[in-house]
């Protein structure tokens, strides 16, 4: 079977250059990650790699990583943060996690 798609020459690379090194490299990295949370964070951090930092408030973090509401702080540390910190430093030169405790009173 054959699919023929016609696009503007300006956008030809979108279809014909999908195997560019950066795409294959990132896909290879991504497929080597074991944790679902590490994969989600990898994807999020790659979107911000040129800025250098990314902050998440707690609600945003829980939503983006689809963390169950039943997870208490200890569960998040063990089941979410630990796999992220175990797997991602080899793909991000300086990966730091800083928890900021906000006083709600």
């Amino acid at each position: 079977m054959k699919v023929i798609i016609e696009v503007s020459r300006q956008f030809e690379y979108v279809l014909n250059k999908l195997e560019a090194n950066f795409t294959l490299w990132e896909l290879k990295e991504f497929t080597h990650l074991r944790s679902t949370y590490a994969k989600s964070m990898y994807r999020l951090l790659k979107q911000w790699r040129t800025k250098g930092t990314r902050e998440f408030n707690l609600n945003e973090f829980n939503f983006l990583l689809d963390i169950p509401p039943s997870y208490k702080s200890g569960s998040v540390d063990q089941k979410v943060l630990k796999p992220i910190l175990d797997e991602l430093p080899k793909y991000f030169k300086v990966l730091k996690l800083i928890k900021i405790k906000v006083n709600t009173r």
Side-chain angles (χ1 to χ4, degrees), residues 60-104:
E60 179 184 26
F61 184 79
N62 290 339
F63 176 76
L64 291 171
L65 271 69
D66 198 24
I67 299 171
S70 60
Y71 277 19
K72 302 296 180 218
S73 181
S75 295
V76 171
D77 287 349
Q78 186 63 32
K79 295 178 180 181
V80 179
L81 300 179
K82 185 178 182 324
I84 288 171
L85 292 173
D86 286 346
E87 295 189 60
L88 294 188
K90 60 184 141 198
Y91 305 115
F92 298 94
K93 290 180 185 176
V94 181
L95 179 65
K96 293 181 184 176
L97 169 70
I98 302 169
K99 292 185 194 179
I100 301 171
K101 199 116 179 159
V102 178
N103 191 353
T104 57

Side-chain angles (χ1 to χ4, degrees), residues 22 25-27 29-30 39-51 54 88 91-92:
F22 75 91
W25 181 253
E26 290 175 352
L27 182 59
E29 289 176 351
F30 185 81
K39 286 182 179 190
S40 295
M41 185 55 69
Y42 176 91
R43 191 176 35 79
L44 292 168
L45 293 176
K46 281 294 186 177
Q47 293 173 3
W48 290 87
R49 71 183 172 274
T50 57
K51 184 170 184 215
R54 177 64 165 104
L88 294 188
Y91 305 115
F92 298 94

Side-chain angles (χ1 to χ4, degrees), residues 3-62:
V3 175
I4 298 174
I5 300 173
E6 185 175 336
V7 295
S8 163
R9 290 257 183 236
Q10 181 182 2
F11 298 106
E12 176 185 18
Y13 73 93
V14 174
L15 292 174
N16 295 329
K17 302 293 182 188
L18 288 177
E19 72 281 349
N21 288 338
F22 75 91
T23 303
L24 289 176
W25 181 253
E26 290 175 352
L27 182 59
K28 188 174 183 179
E29 289 176 351
F30 185 81
T31 58
H32 281 92
L33 296 172
R34 292 171 292 158
S35 164
T36 302
Y37 294 117
K39 286 182 179 190
S40 295
M41 185 55 69
Y42 176 91
R43 191 176 35 79
L44 292 168
L45 293 176
K46 281 294 186 177
Q47 293 173 3
W48 290 87
R49 71 183 172 274
T50 57
K51 184 170 184 215
T53 62
R54 177 64 165 104
E55 291 182 18
F56 302 95
N57 69 41
L58 185 58
N59 290 334
E60 179 184 26
F61 184 79
N62 290 339

